[in-house]
Amino acid sequence: MKGKVMKRYTESHEWIEIEGPIGTVGVTDYAQKELGDIVYVELPQVGKKVSKGGEAAVLESTKAAADVYSPVSGTILEVNDELSTEAQKVNESPEKGGWLFKVQLDSPEEISTLMTWEDYQKSFG
């Protein structure tokens, strides 16, 4: 799996892009549209352990606050600090510049339980 990039999705509208043992996590375009204008992002602490399906971050919009769940178990390696002053990046580029955090995967086999783009589109497209 080294060098190969794979992207998967959750039913709770997170995406994870996996490269080797590291996953970059964010919310889907569908999620940001449903939330509306994001005004605040609460990111996890670097070094925090997260569980697959466990709360990892919070997005606050003009409509509501929404929990963001980790698609995999692991340790937070990095957070997107730009979002503390530019929360709107989640709306502008949810699947690129608006990423939320990077996680070191504890159990790479958890990836097999996540949806492909095609599966996600069938469910929510």
Side-chain angles (χ1 to χ4, degrees):
M1 197 160 78
K2 195 118 178 99
K4 184 173 176 244
V5 177
M6 180 189 335
K7 197 164 188 177
R8 292 291 183 264
Y9 298 83
T10 68
E11 289 183 13
S12 51
H13 310 292
E14 291 86 16
W15 58 264
I16 182 166
E17 193 169 88
I18 299 127
E19 190 167 6
I22 310 294
T24 303
V25 178
V27 295
T28 64
D29 190 48
Y30 178 90
Q32 71 82 20
K33 283 180 182 157
E34 289 293 301
L35 280 167
D37 293 334
I38 307 291
V39 293
Y40 177 74
V41 179
E42 184 181 309
L43 296 166
Q45 291 276 290
V46 171
K48 177 185 177 183
K49 296 288 271 177
V50 290
S51 302
K52 178 180 180 356
E55 186 184 311
V58 179
L59 300 180
E60 290 184 20
S61 73
T62 52
K63 287 194 213 173
D67 292 334
V68 176
Y69 303 100
S70 182
V72 295
S73 300
T75 304
I76 303 296
L77 293 176
E78 184 182 342
V79 296
N80 189 348
D81 287 327
E82 288 184 3
L83 300 180
S84 59
T85 56
E86 297 178 66
Q88 74 277 6
K89 275 192 174 205
V90 176
N91 292 117
E92 294 164 1
S93 181
E95 298 197 31
K96 287 277 182 241
W99 64 275
L100 301 175
F101 59 90
K102 295 189 182 204
V103 60
Q104 170 88 41
L105 279 64
D106 281 350
S107 306
E109 64 275 6
E110 288 177 341
I111 296 162
S112 66
T113 65
L114 303 173
M115 292 188 276
T116 63
W117 172 244
E118 291 77 18
D119 293 338
Y120 184 77
Q121 281 295 98
K122 279 183 206 155
S123 298
F124 303 103

